[in-house]
Amino acid sequence: MRTEMISPPATVELLSRGMECLVQAMGVVEAEYFIAAVQRERFDYTKWQREYFDKMDLKTFVNNAKAYTQSIGK
């Protein structure tokens, strides 16, 4: 079996795509407020994600994932 290494995107590309997502979802002003809050609070996304999802049972997680997928048309 052959496996390929997946290269992460360049930092500039990643930041650009992330900002585009934030602006689409929140608008320019709220996206900027979000970025400022993350920097100001020294927000640890990985820690937050673990705490958030550890509290959620598997059925709820799966249902939320399905609903999200349907909402974006995939």
Side-chain angles (χ1 to χ4, degrees):
M1 175 167 51
R2 182 175 178 218
T3 59
E4 293 182 36
M5 294 295 292
I6 298 173
S7 299
T11 302
V12 171
E13 178 188 347
L14 188 62
L15 292 172
S16 178
R17 288 173 44 209
M19 193 63 188
E20 184 179 315
C21 290
L22 286 172
V23 169
Q24 277 184 337
M26 304 173 81
V28 174
V29 174
E30 285 190 355
E32 291 292 340
Y33 281 134
F34 173 79
I35 301 255
V38 168
Q39 289 178 333
R40 181 178 58 250
E41 299 297 325
R42 305 229 184 247
F43 182 72
D44 184 340
Y45 175 77
T46 302
K47 180 181 174 187
W48 170 85
Q49 182 182 28
R50 286 188 180 134
E51 290 172 357
Y52 179 80
F53 289 116
D54 282 351
K55 295 175 188 173
M56 187 181 296
D57 64 275
L58 182 58
K59 186 175 181 178
T60 301
F61 178 82
V62 170
N63 289 338
N64 288 348
K66 284 180 183 178
Y68 175 75
T69 302
Q70 290 171 350
S71 76
I72 61 171
K74 291 191 174 187

